[in-house]
């Protein structure tokens, strides 16, 4: 859910709008936007549903956690130091804070009954169903216990302990901490702050327990309990609380000397404190150590790489200026946040989302690249995912004239110079967004220089370049023939401008490719016809190998033999009795032409000889 004013206009970036592949980078569904005027309508509150992943729910959880923190801290404080913090002047103030917190507890129950959840990838917005799910959950039972009006007994007996049930909602504060761990940009720092907060709360509660036990045993009754507050130095509330907090801190952390207990109750309390301090603080400090190491994990990994390169140069005898250049290169990559591998960091994201993040991160550079301005969105996704960032030091040559071109480069940041062979003459200076090296990787027909570099390019200072290999470029262009044609045309225009294009060779190569395409099409047609013939022959062989079909064929052949068909001969007596017909056409019974017309009849005699003893009784 997003609430905004009616006059608010969301500006769109045309470049990002064109190449946004996920379809939700700039705007959500119109149903998710509400104008402020609708907040005062009944329909809005009846249909209100919160997405647990959106910021409105996150900020509400922050407010709810603050209210719960108020109850956790001040309820135990008012129970312990009731004679100091509760007076006829302060009770109305406490009542106001108490009932405001109760009101927010009820509001939070309403919010929890409108929390949507995903089903089949879509957010469920059925209010009745969401409410029913909340009413059947354990969270509803815990919330009911936390808002029971037990503080009405406060009017019978003035004791804030009747509000202890408000602490049951502490689970809601834990939920906010989990949300904050995900939303914050500094998760390690937030984790340390959360652990410190836990420590302070535990020490605070233990300090209140210590003061309450001292009250029960009697102030000043021995050296372990709190001194008598009637004395002038220990009667102040701040003095009482700070002293108790200090004792609690020393006891739980097991550092520092405190007075030895003298009664059974004080001994038991100290034993429990020691066990709790060992278990809880061992866990907490262990987590703190892990979080602090995690905060500097990237720096530690980077330093390990630097040390390994230093050891290698020392073993191989690399010293002097070259070693200084290597160390400066490492410093530059770390200071400019170029030491991270984008592919490794974004490895777990889907391909489309990785591409969109890359477009957003490198927007300033890609916006100035002409080939990306006219590219199809799909081609942009392919190319962006294949870009590799390379950092060059001052004076480094990116390429030299005559080298075989295997990569094209896009300048992200820095200054480059196109120089002569000896490096003394500067032809042009390249800045952010410039592209070079594309001619040698396009394999343009008729290029007089072949695939070799036509100029030398040198880095003036530190330069960050995007590198796209020849293989990756052609793999991407394979599925986009129109984009490939446009790039080839632009490359030919550049070569014509520099008089580096052989027109005759280009036309011959174009005709050769056209003829080759036609030949490939004919080969494809011939292969298709051959596949059809093979399938037909395979089907015939399969039918012949089927025993059921063979047995049916053999029986039909036996029934068609002249000796097994006397009834058919008797049906035609004129042909059998006419000697002229017999003399005129004696070989009709075994005509070779008929046998050639029906080749499967050749193995019939063997089957007849085997089956004659069974068929004779039937005749």
């Amino acid at each position: 859910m997003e609430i905004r004013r009616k006059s608010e206009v969301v500006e769109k970036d045309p470049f990002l709008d064109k190449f946004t592949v996920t379809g939700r980078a700039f705007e959500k569904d119109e149903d998710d936007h509400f104008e402020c005027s609708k907040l005062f309508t009944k329909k809005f509150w009846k249909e209100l549903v919160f997405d647990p992943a959106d910021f409105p729910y996150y900020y509400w959880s922050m407010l709810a956690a603050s209210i719960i923190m108020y109850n956790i801290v001040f309820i135990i404080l008012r129970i312990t130091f009731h004679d100091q913090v509760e007076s006829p002047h302060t009770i109305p103030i406490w009542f106001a804070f108490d009932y405001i917190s109760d009101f927010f507890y009820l509001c939070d129950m309403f919010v929890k009954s409108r929390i949507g959840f995903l089903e089949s990838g879509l957010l469920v917005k059925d209010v009745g169903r969401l409410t029913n799910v909340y009413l059947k959950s354990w969270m509803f039972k815990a919330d009911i216990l936390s808002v029971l009006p037990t503080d009405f007994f406060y009017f019978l007996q003035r004791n804030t302990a009747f509000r202890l049930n408000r602490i049951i909602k502490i689970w809601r504060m834990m939920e906010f901490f989990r949300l904050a761990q995900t939303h914050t940009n500094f998760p390690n720092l937030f984790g340390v702050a959360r652990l410190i907060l836990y420590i302070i709360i535990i020490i605070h509660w233990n300090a209140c327990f210590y003061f309450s036990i001292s009250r029960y045993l009697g102030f000043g009754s021995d050296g372990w309990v709190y001194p008598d507050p009637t004395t002038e130095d220990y009667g102040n509330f701040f003095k009482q609380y700070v002293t108790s907090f200090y004792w609690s801190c020393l006891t739980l952390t097991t550092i520092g000397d405190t007075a030895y207990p003298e009664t059974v109750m004080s001994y038991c309390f100290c034993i429990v404190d020691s066990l709790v301090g060992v278990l809880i603080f061992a866990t907490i400090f262990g987590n703190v150590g892990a979080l602090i190491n995690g905060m500097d994990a990237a720096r530690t990994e980077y330093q390990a790489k630097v040390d390994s390169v230093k050891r290698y140069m020392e073993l191989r005898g690399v010293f002097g200026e070259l070693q200084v250049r290597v160390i400066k290169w490492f410093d530059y990559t770390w200071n400019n946040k170029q030491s991270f591998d984008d592919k490794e960091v974004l490895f777990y994201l889907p391909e489309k989302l990785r591409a969109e993040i890359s477009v957003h991160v490198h927007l300033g550079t890609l916006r100035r690249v002409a080939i990306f301005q006219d590219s199809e969105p799909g081609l942009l996704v392919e190319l962006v995912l294949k870009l590799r960032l390379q950092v060059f030091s001052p004076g480094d040559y990116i390429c030299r004239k005559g080298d075989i071109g295997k990569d094209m480069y896009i300048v992200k940041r820095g200054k480059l110079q196109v120089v002569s062979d000896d490096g003394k003459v500067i032809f042009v200076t390249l800045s952010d967004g410039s592209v070079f090296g594309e001619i040698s990787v396009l394999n343009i027909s008729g290029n007089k220089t072949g695939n070799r570099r036509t100029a030398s390019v040198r880095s003036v200072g530190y330069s960050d370049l995007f590198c796209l290999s020849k293989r990756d470029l052609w793999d991407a262009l394979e599925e986009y023939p129109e984009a490939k044609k446009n790039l080839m045309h632009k490359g030919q225009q550049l070569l014509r401008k520099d008089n580096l294009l052989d027109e005759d060779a280009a036309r011959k190569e174009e005709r050769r490719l056209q003829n080759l395409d036609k030949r490939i099409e004919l080969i494809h047609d011939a292969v298709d016809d051959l596949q059809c013939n093979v399938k037909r022959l395979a089907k015939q062989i399969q039918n012949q190998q089927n025993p059921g079909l063979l047995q049916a064929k053999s029986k039909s052949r036996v029934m068609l033999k002249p000796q097994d068909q006397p009834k058919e001969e008797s049906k035609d007596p004129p042909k059998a009795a006419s000697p002229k017909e017999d003399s005129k056409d004696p070989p009709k019974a075994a005509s070779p032409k008929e046998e050639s017309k029906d080749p499967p009849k050749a193995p019939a005699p063997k089957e007849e000889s085997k089956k004659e003893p069974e068929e004779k009784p039937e005749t």
Side-chain angles (χ1 to χ4, degrees), residues 264-396:
V264 175
M265 179 175 290
S266 59
Y267 269 111
C268 294
F269 181 71
C270 288
I271 292 172
V272 172
D273 262 11
S274 300
L275 294 177
V276 170
V278 170
L279 295 176
I280 294 179
F281 279 85
T283 304
I284 290 177
F285 287 130
N287 291 332
V288 169
L291 288 172
I292 293 175
N293 291 332
M295 292 175 64
D296 207 25
R299 178 68 187 184
T300 303
E301 183 180 359
Y302 161 79
Q303 192 62 44
K305 294 178 182 178
V306 176
D307 294 341
S308 63
V309 174
K310 285 182 178 178
R311 286 194 298 269
Y312 174 82
M313 291 190 295
E314 184 178 354
L315 291 174
R316 301 303 181 188
V318 180
F319 300 103
E321 183 182 355
L322 182 57
Q323 187 179 33
V324 173
R325 289 178 60 192
V326 171
I327 296 175
K328 286 184 177 179
W329 182 89
F330 273 111
D331 292 339
Y332 173 81
T333 56
W334 175 259
N335 294 330
N336 290 273
K337 301 179 181 180
Q338 305 292 349
S339 59
F340 301 100
D341 187 358
D342 294 347
K343 292 184 178 180
E344 183 179 351
V345 174
L346 304 177
F347 175 76
Y348 299 101
L349 293 178
E351 180 179 351
K352 300 296 183 182
L353 200 56
R354 288 204 308 270
E356 187 169 346
I357 290 177
S358 300
V359 172
H360 278 261
V361 171
H362 309 306
L363 173 63
T365 302
L366 299 179
R367 192 193 300 275
R368 293 188 288 266
V369 179
I371 61 173
F372 289 156
Q373 293 289 344
D374 303 328
S375 298
E376 302 177 34
L379 178 61
L380 177 73
V381 172
E382 295 286 339
L383 294 178
V384 166
L385 291 177
K386 297 178 184 298
L387 291 177
R388 293 178 289 108
L389 183 64
Q390 294 184 356
V391 179
F392 292 90
S393 301
D396 288 349

Side-chain angles (χ1 to χ4, degrees), residues 67 70-71 75 78 91-107 146-156 159-160 162-163 166:
I67 299 298
Y70 159 78
N71 286 321
I75 287 179
R78 290 163 60 188
I91 286 179
I93 300 175
W94 290 120
F95 277 1
F97 281 109
D98 290 343
Y99 293 123
I100 289 174
S101 68
D102 292 347
F103 172 74
F104 277 103
Y105 272 36
L106 295 174
C107 292
S146 65
V147 296
L148 288 176
T150 54
D151 51 349
F152 284 140
F153 295 104
Y154 185 84
F155 297 101
L156 301 178
N159 192 343
T160 315
F162 293 119
R163 290 185 56 84
R166 302 299 188 269

